Amino acid sequence: MANFSDDDFAGTLVPESQRRSWQSIFAATLGVGTALFFAQITSIITRQSGVGVALLSVVYGFVVSAFIGVLISRLSIKSGCGTNILAKAALGHRGAALFSILYGTACLTYFVAEAGIIGASLRSLLPQISNTVLLPSVVLCMLPLVWVGMRAISAFQKFSIIIYGGLLTAAIYVTVGGHSGSPSVGIFRGDTIVGLASAISMMNGVAFVVGLLTADYARFIKRDQLSAGTIAIGIVFPAFCYGVTGIAGIWFAAQLGESNPGVYFVQILGSVGGIVFTCATQLRTNISNMYSGTLAFVNAFERALNIRMSRRLVTVLFAAVASLILVSDATELLQKTLGVLGIFTAAFVCVLLIESYLPNTSRYRAASPNFEGMIEPCHWSNLLSVIVATGIGIAVDRGVLGPSLSALAIPTTIAAPLFWYVGSCLLKSPARRTELLD
């Protein structure tokens, strides 16, 4: 197969000659699916509200991610568009810079959090090495795989899934065999309604990002594999995230009464086994985080500053910034931004799907041959809709309607662009409204 371009099509459509089979691309997505982040969320929910609420939150997360994933992955396979080009189509050349910056920041945040888990696990084996050396080394070991692009990522994910599957099976076997943990979790704990609202609020920050992430992978699938690729990336991929890794988090939290995967896998598998499992899993995840984040920042530089930068150069800069954040222990500040980024992502996804699938939005059709020529410098109505919806969602999340209704932040965020769309249709002439209805 021919080599990918230097930027791995970060700012252009992926041509058919560079597409691959859905099986190969699906293997690359499993790096995200094995993220201990999913296990940690479900473990926290299990400890706080019980197994029943955690299972309901897993079902909710899957349904949201799969619904978004099917629609977006189908768009990407047909057009070759990645997440950032879809943003350009929905928000305009300039407007997409806002999305790319925030999406890249989200990927950087996840990357730093996951790299910190690897560093913490290695600390037990290498206590004599300072964080100034250890943490940047963890980041640098990921550079070669992300440097090459999707081919190397896919190959690494295929190989490392064997390690992941084997050690996860061993951990389950040990706990089933009577590990000496202290189970302290029931089916439901505390106020079930409040617990479920809190769990759904936590899941919202993940579900929309997972659905949106499918575009960066689906764009490499051959067009004649549209149906199989859509099912694999849009449905099976999120099913793995929640149904395997998420449920594993529920299981271990229920068995051991612990919510931190970095702790309970070491307890179950021992220091060496736990570290191998944690490192293999987090490397798989963080390669995907770095890949998507660098694509986002490449597009941000181009849209905001008219600077066309190599994805490889941006990858090095990404690694340098991540290392500085890890060494300075500023991860808590970045993690506080995830709630806002989740609300923004929900608003953007809603506008993107409206622009792509609903009538009366013919300005953008990603599969059109003259796609680039149809994009304006800035689609102000869409951009303002995203900004206003994000502001409303943040206000609700901060308790403007009362603390008990803060879980309605995402539904409120989604409702705003929908009301805007309906209103814009109603303002059309009677003849145009009849045409839309027909």
Side-chain angles (χ1 to χ4, degrees):
M1 188 177 116
N3 291 330
F4 288 111
S5 59
D6 178 59
D7 66 0
D8 212 15
F9 306 104
T12 58
L13 308 183
V14 179
E16 189 65 26
S17 62
Q18 300 293 343
R19 305 290 190 95
R20 309 182 69 185
S21 68
W22 68 265
Q23 295 96 329
S24 175
I25 302 304
F26 174 69
T29 67
L30 294 183
V32 178
T34 59
L36 292 184
F37 184 72
F38 293 101
Q40 187 165 25
I41 287 181
T42 55
S43 293
I44 291 172
I45 295 173
T46 301
R47 291 281 294 139
Q48 290 179 346
S49 304
V51 173
V53 170
L55 288 173
L56 290 173
S57 71
V58 164
V59 173
Y60 170 81
F62 166 71
V63 170
V64 172
S65 292
F67 176 77
I68 297 169
V70 165
L71 296 177
I72 290 183
S73 60
R74 184 175 181 84
L75 267 181
S76 295
I77 294 172
K78 292 173 67 176
S79 65
C81 290
T83 302
N84 296 283
I85 300 182
L86 290 175
K88 182 175 68 172
L91 303 179
H93 287 282
R94 299 296 182 193
L98 173 64
F99 167 81
S100 295
I101 290 171
L102 292 176
Y103 185 64
T105 301
C107 291
L108 176 63
T109 303
Y110 286 120
F111 179 90
V112 168
E114 305 283 0
I117 293 176
I118 297 177
S121 66
L122 292 174
R123 172 63 53 211
S124 62
L125 273 184
L126 305 168
Q128 70 279 11
I129 300 180
S130 67
N131 283 338
T132 306
V133 175
L134 179 63
L135 296 176
S137 298
V138 169
V139 174
L140 290 175
C141 74
M142 305 178 204
L143 272 179
L145 292 168
V146 183
W147 181 279
V148 175
M150 185 58 70
R151 289 181 303 161
I153 293 174
S154 178
F156 177 78
Q157 307 296 33
K158 287 179 182 178
F159 169 76
S160 58
I161 190 66
I162 300 173
I163 298 175
Y164 171 83
L167 290 176
L168 179 61
T169 301
I172 294 173
Y173 175 79
V174 171
T175 53
V176 171
H179 188 274
S180 59
S182 302
S184 57
V185 178
I187 300 300
F188 295 103
R189 304 184 69 184
D191 189 322
T192 302
I193 301 301
V194 173
L196 183 59
S198 175
I200 289 176
S201 179
M202 291 178 65
M203 276 296 179
N204 280 329
V206 179
F208 286 88
V209 173
V210 170
L212 189 58
L213 186 64
T214 59
D216 286 337
Y217 295 91
R219 66 196 179 113
F220 284 102
I221 296 177
K222 296 178 180 178
R223 285 189 180 91
D224 59 6
Q225 298 181 1
L226 177 63
S227 296
T230 299
I231 293 172
I233 307 300
I235 298 177
V236 182
F237 161 54
F240 190 94
C241 294
Y242 300 103
V244 176
T245 310
I247 289 181
I250 297 174
W251 167 262
F252 293 119
Q255 294 297 310
L256 303 175
E258 171 61 52
S259 60
N260 189 331
V263 173
Y264 58 64
F265 279 118
V266 171
Q267 290 178 353
I268 297 168
L269 299 172
S271 296
V272 175
I275 289 170
V276 170
F277 180 84
T278 300
C279 289
T281 302
Q282 302 308 88
L283 280 174
R284 291 167 55 79
T285 304
N286 254 1
I287 287 170
S288 298
N289 287 333
M290 181 181 278
Y291 181 72
S292 294
T294 53
L295 291 179
F297 286 123
V298 163
N299 282 274
F301 281 118
E302 182 178 359
R303 305 309 164 206
L305 304 174
N306 283 327
I307 298 175
R308 182 68 172 173
M309 296 185 68
S310 162
R311 187 184 64 81
R312 289 178 174 176
L313 174 59
V314 175
T315 300
V316 174
L317 295 175
F318 185 101
V321 172
S323 297
L324 288 174
I325 294 172
L326 283 165
V327 171
S328 62
D329 197 26
T331 57
E332 184 178 350
L333 178 62
L334 273 182
Q335 289 169 358
K336 290 180 179 178
T337 67
L338 284 180
V340 174
L341 293 172
I343 292 172
F344 171 83
T345 303
F348 169 76
V349 166
C350 187
V351 169
L352 174 62
L353 295 180
I354 288 172
E355 184 77 358
S356 304
Y357 284 101
L358 295 185
N360 198 29
T361 56
S362 58
R363 159 182 24 182
Y364 154 52
R365 291 293 178 265
S368 173
N370 62 338
F371 165 74
E372 290 285 348
M374 300 167 68
I375 301 176
E376 302 168 6
C378 191
H379 297 163
W380 287 107
S381 58
N382 285 351
L383 184 59
L384 288 175
S385 178
V386 170
I387 293 173
V388 170
T390 301
I392 293 173
I394 292 173
V396 174
D397 185 60
R398 294 293 184 268
V400 169
L401 301 179
S404 61
L405 296 179
S406 61
L408 295 178
I410 294 294
T412 306
T413 302
I414 295 172
L418 289 174
F419 280 125
W420 162 81
Y421 169 74
V422 172
S424 67
C425 289
L426 292 176
L427 290 175
K428 299 294 181 180
S429 66
R432 180 57 176 158
R433 289 202 299 269
T434 300
E435 180 184 338
L436 288 175
L437 292 174
D438 292 339

